[in-house]
Amino acid sequence: MPLTCRGRVRGLEPSRGDVDDALGKFSLTLIDTLDTLVLLNKTTEFEEAVRRVLTDVRLDNDIVVSVFETNIRVLGGLLGGHSMAVMLKDAGHHMQWYQDELLHMAKDVGLRLLPAFNTSSGLPYPRVNLKHGIRGPESRTGTETDTCTACAGTIILEFAALSRFTGDPVFEVHARRALDFLWEKRQRNSNLVGTTINIHSGEWVRRDSGVGAGIDSYYEYLLKAYILLGDDLFLQRFNIHYASIMKYISQPPLLLDVHIHKPLLPARTWMDSLLAFFPGLQVLKGDIRPAIETHEMLYQVTKKHNFLPEAFTTDFRVHWAQHPLRPEFAESTYFLYKATKDPYYLEVGRTVLDNLNRFARVPCGFAAMKDVRTGSHEDRMDSFFLAEMFKYLFLLFAEEEDLTFNVEDYIFTTEAHLLPLSLSTAPHTPSPPANTTEELDDSNFDWTCPNTRLLFPDPAFPRNLRDPIRSAVDKSCPRPAVSAVAAEDGMRFMQEMMELSSQQQKEQLPPRAVQIVSHPFFGRVVLTSGPAQFGTDLSKSITGVSVSSVCQFPINAAFVQGRIALLQRGQCMFAEKARHIMKAGAIGGIVIDDNEGSSSDTAPLFQMAGDGRNTDDVTLPLLFLFYKEGNILLEALKEYREVEVLLSDKARDRDKDRTVSFQHMDSFVGFQPILGTILDSVKISKWPVFQGSVVNQNSGPVATTVLALVEVGDGKHPV
């Protein structure tokens, strides 16, 4: 208790409800920070702390504690301390007296937690009495019916490590059984899990799904269990979950909860701070780009409020104002720096450190923020602050000579306790294979992590991802150092996020088709495209008139006249793009996503929203192609001199439609922005189906390529 300068003892202070479930009169902070002392090279203090644990800590207290918190903080803390003690003893300088005492205590804790797993499903009760277990009137627990997914699914690392350290398989068996049950109860269509589950029936009590509170470390432990234990089953399950997360929950840079049965329907319009761990997990997965984007959003929110609020809205206002000194953002910062070596993340870490010292440091420690808006404190410093925050900030700034051992030989638990990877080779009883063969085809997933130097050969590339997000969250005038393009990108992002709720609540329109009908495709290539919630519906008639545009793009009006403009996503709202090209005389448009790697295979159908204004004035059709599909169209342009395409509500038989086509210029220059945009064009035929040939034009401030187009009559060849 850093404000009153004393320790919090369960029962002596007014109850804080569930927050106190982590306290069990077992010197929580002391145990939770053992391996932190070793990492900070405080070996003398570590040795003293271990002796203090052995002499002072009692585990047979008649007190009800959280199974989840006791597992990750106490059991994990003892196992992390044991790992460090063995490492120091083997090095020959410290802990020579140590005879696995911490491991014996860890097994005692494990045995006290085991009664919680005595359910028909294998899912543990959320609470257990350290002395009396679950059954009986003395336990004062065991009547609960529900637990959170993370509570039941964040056991495997500690329990498997305990089994392999001690040779007793019972702990790993129970942890695997709980994970198997959660996997079997996932929603089979979306492959997502809910937040709260009935431990007896397996029915989902809360069907919202995200990567934050209630679920977070379930996903984390699937991937880390594969890393620690080497069992492919965990990676396969994680990959299947991850694909669904990226398809439904991830809306870069946001991570928004959805309903497991209707994953296209948002479950809430705010995010909680616990999801800040997810970019770090994406680094372990090897998916760096979305990690950079989400982390940058979190960083800008942090700078806006000095700390990450416990919850914040999609337009980055405070939803819950407290900040209990959570370490997840620092964790992701560390992992991103390790992966990219981008010094930017050292600046991020310095910001975190400065804010802690400026706003949270008090005479007896660091005080949690009661309200980030006012800077008021709470007399609270949770053990995870010393167990995790200190570790990740130290590791972020540490040089190689600052570390007395190689942290790459260890995995970090969700509480940042260090478990040796050598446990994968420790003798253990293999678990029977789960009956999940039909679901575990993950042939589409890579089994190796990418080299970030190959991902980002241009050092400026990560910055290009971050700049638009910085502008969006800031919502102020762009700083002089920020480019105009980045500022426009940021404004576009902000506007789109503000429209997200209304967009998803509107009627779900069916996808549209972009069909390549010329040689050698002959209509066999059909690209799934997203519709717009405004403008001409390709399945209906054209109505409305053109109005002036307010989105300023350099455009050759004479060239666009009577054609479809091919546009790169960015710079302004979709409706403004439509107004702009309509003013220039275009009769249609295709927007290609600039998010590299996006695809209709993995992302839900994207519907382009309006801009909050009346869009009845938009009278041309606008379609959206994800990056993968758009690149197919661009590659076709690059390889063939002429490409005929068909825009429609569904693919057509080519022989039924007449086309006009035009030569494609030789000097295709790639999909690179010139003055913030690219404008290609598609010649449109006079028939109701929008059909014609795509040609490429590259306009710049210095030189303009002029392409002469000659329309020919029906049945003749292009000139």
Side-chain angles (χ1 to χ4, degrees), residues 165-181:
F165 272 134
T166 63
D168 187 346
V170 64
F171 305 104
E172 184 171 346
V173 167
H174 278 83
R176 283 178 176 265
R177 185 180 174 214
L179 277 180
D180 289 345
F181 190 82

Side-chain angles (χ1 to χ4, degrees), residues 414-433:
T414 195
E415 193 75 5
H417 292 306
L418 294 153
L419 298 177
L421 294 175
S422 58
L423 287 174
S424 63
T425 61
H428 66 284
T429 302
S431 298

Side-chain angles (χ1 to χ4, degrees), residues 594-662:
D594 60 351
N595 183 13
E596 185 174 355
S598 67
S599 166
S600 62
D601 297 333
T602 56
L605 179 69
F606 186 84
Q607 298 190 60
M608 292 178 286
D611 54 3
R613 300 161 52 190
N614 189 309
T615 54
D616 290 345
D617 58 303
V618 179
T619 58
L620 51 69
L622 195 69
L623 297 184
F624 179 88
L625 289 178
F626 282 111
Y627 183 91
K628 177 182 176 182
E629 286 76 17
N631 201 51
I632 293 174
L633 181 58
L634 293 171
E635 287 298 318
L637 272 173
K638 185 176 181 180
E639 186 169 355
Y640 300 99
R641 295 184 63 85
E642 62 179 58
V643 176
E644 298 174 3
V645 298
L646 175 70
L647 308 184
S648 59
D649 57 340
K650 59 183 178 181
R652 305 290 177 88
D653 182 347
R654 181 177 183 266
D655 291 337
K656 294 180 181 179
D657 293 303
R658 297 169 293 172
T659 68
V660 291
S661 58
F662 300 93

Side-chain angles (χ1 to χ4, degrees), residues 75-133:
L75 178 55
L78 291 170
L79 292 173
H82 170 69
S83 300
M84 295 293 96
V86 170
M87 183 268 295
L88 291 172
K89 183 178 181 180
D90 290 346
H93 301 296
H94 300 275
M95 303 296 294
Q96 295 305 302
W97 55 270
Y98 183 69
Q99 298 294 326
D100 295 345
E101 289 88 348
L102 292 178
L103 180 59
H104 299 322
M105 290 186 70
K107 185 171 183 179
D108 189 2
V109 173
L111 291 171
R112 294 179 187 278
L113 295 179
L114 272 184
F117 291 82
N118 187 20
T119 62
S120 58
S121 66
L123 298 178
Y125 284 94
R127 296 176 182 84
V128 67
N129 187 300
L130 288 173
K131 188 171 187 177
H132 301 293

Side-chain angles (χ1 to χ4, degrees), residues 141-154:
T141 188
T143 59
E144 301 96 343
T145 59
D146 305 333
T147 192
C148 72
T149 301
C151 300
T154 311

Side-chain angles (χ1 to χ4, degrees), residues 399-663:
E399 302 291 347
E400 187 173 345
E401 58 270 19
D402 296 324
L403 301 174
T404 58
F405 64 96
N406 186 4
V407 295
E408 301 296 338
D409 293 335
Y410 298 82
I411 188 76
F412 288 110
T413 70
T414 195
E415 193 75 5
H417 292 306
L418 294 153
L419 298 177
L421 294 175
S422 58
L423 287 174
S424 63
T425 61
H428 66 284
T429 302
S431 298
N435 183 24
T436 55
T437 54
E438 75 280 6
E439 294 94 355
L440 294 183
D441 177 16
D442 67 343
S443 56
N444 292 326
F445 301 108
D446 292 331
W447 283 68
T448 57
C449 292
N451 185 321
T452 54
R453 285 176 295 180
L454 298 179
L455 275 177
F456 307 132
D458 178 5
F461 183 68
R463 185 178 69 247
N464 293 335
L465 297 180
R466 294 190 293 256
D467 283 350
I469 299 168
R470 180 181 301 121
S471 302
V473 178
D474 189 22
K475 287 177 65 177
S476 63
C477 295
R479 298 178 181 87
V482 178
S483 70
V485 171
E488 290 176 357
D489 267 352
M491 184 58 65
R492 178 265 299 178
F493 162 77
M494 189 63 235
Q495 290 170 320
E496 288 183 5
M497 289 305 103
M498 292 174 68
E499 293 161 17
L500 186 63
S501 297
S502 60
Q503 171 186 338
Q504 294 180 326
Q505 290 169 2
K506 288 187 177 182
E507 176 187 2
Q508 293 293 307
L509 298 173
R512 303 305 186 198
V514 175
Q515 186 175 17
I516 306 179
V517 295
S518 56
H519 172 81
F521 306 99
F522 299 122
R524 290 191 295 267
V525 176
V526 181
L527 308 174
T528 299
S529 62
Q533 295 175 351
F534 55 87
T536 300
D537 187 335
L538 286 170
S539 63
K540 300 176 182 179
S541 61
I542 300 176
T543 59
V545 295
S546 169
V547 298
S548 299
S549 168
V550 296
C551 178
Q552 299 302 317
F553 280 163
I555 200 166
N556 186 332
F559 186 80
V560 175
Q561 180 74 33
R563 300 172 176 87
I564 292 178
L566 186 61
L567 303 165
Q568 186 177 21
R569 185 182 185 183
Q571 286 76 49
C572 74
M573 302 285 295
F574 297 118
E576 289 306 302
K577 291 180 185 295
R579 291 188 180 99
H580 188 65
I581 61 175
M582 194 166 66
K583 180 183 178 182
I587 57 173
I590 302 174
V591 178
I592 295 182
D593 193 10
D594 60 351
N595 183 13
E596 185 174 355
S598 67
S599 166
S600 62
D601 297 333
T602 56
L605 179 69
F606 186 84
Q607 298 190 60
M608 292 178 286
D611 54 3
R613 300 161 52 190
N614 189 309
T615 54
D616 290 345
D617 58 303
V618 179
T619 58
L620 51 69
L622 195 69
L623 297 184
F624 179 88
L625 289 178
F626 282 111
Y627 183 91
K628 177 182 176 182
E629 286 76 17
N631 201 51
I632 293 174
L633 181 58
L634 293 171
E635 287 298 318
L637 272 173
K638 185 176 181 180
E639 186 169 355
Y640 300 99
R641 295 184 63 85
E642 62 179 58
V643 176
E644 298 174 3
V645 298
L646 175 70
L647 308 184
S648 59
D649 57 340
K650 59 183 178 181
R652 305 290 177 88
D653 182 347
R654 181 177 183 266
D655 291 337
K656 294 180 181 179
D657 293 303
R658 297 169 293 172
T659 68
V660 291
S661 58
F662 300 93
Q663 296 284 11

Side-chain angles (χ1 to χ4, degrees), residues 630-705:
N631 201 51
I632 293 174
L633 181 58
L634 293 171
E635 287 298 318
L637 272 173
K638 185 176 181 180
E639 186 169 355
Y640 300 99
R641 295 184 63 85
E642 62 179 58
V643 176
E644 298 174 3
V645 298
L646 175 70
L647 308 184
S648 59
D649 57 340
K650 59 183 178 181
R652 305 290 177 88
D653 182 347
R654 181 177 183 266
D655 291 337
K656 294 180 181 179
D657 293 303
R658 297 169 293 172
T659 68
V660 291
S661 58
F662 300 93
Q663 296 284 11
H664 175 251
M665 59 184 288
D666 292 327
S667 56
F668 181 85
V669 295
F671 197 53
Q672 299 298 323
I674 302 296
L675 292 183
T677 186
I678 281 248
L679 286 171
D680 299 330
S681 70
V682 184
K683 180 66 176 70
I684 302 305
S685 73
K686 59 187 177 182
W687 294 281
V689 174
F690 291 87
Q691 181 172 329
S693 299
V694 182
V695 293
N696 182 288
Q697 180 207 29
N698 181 25
S699 299
V702 178
T704 299
T705 300

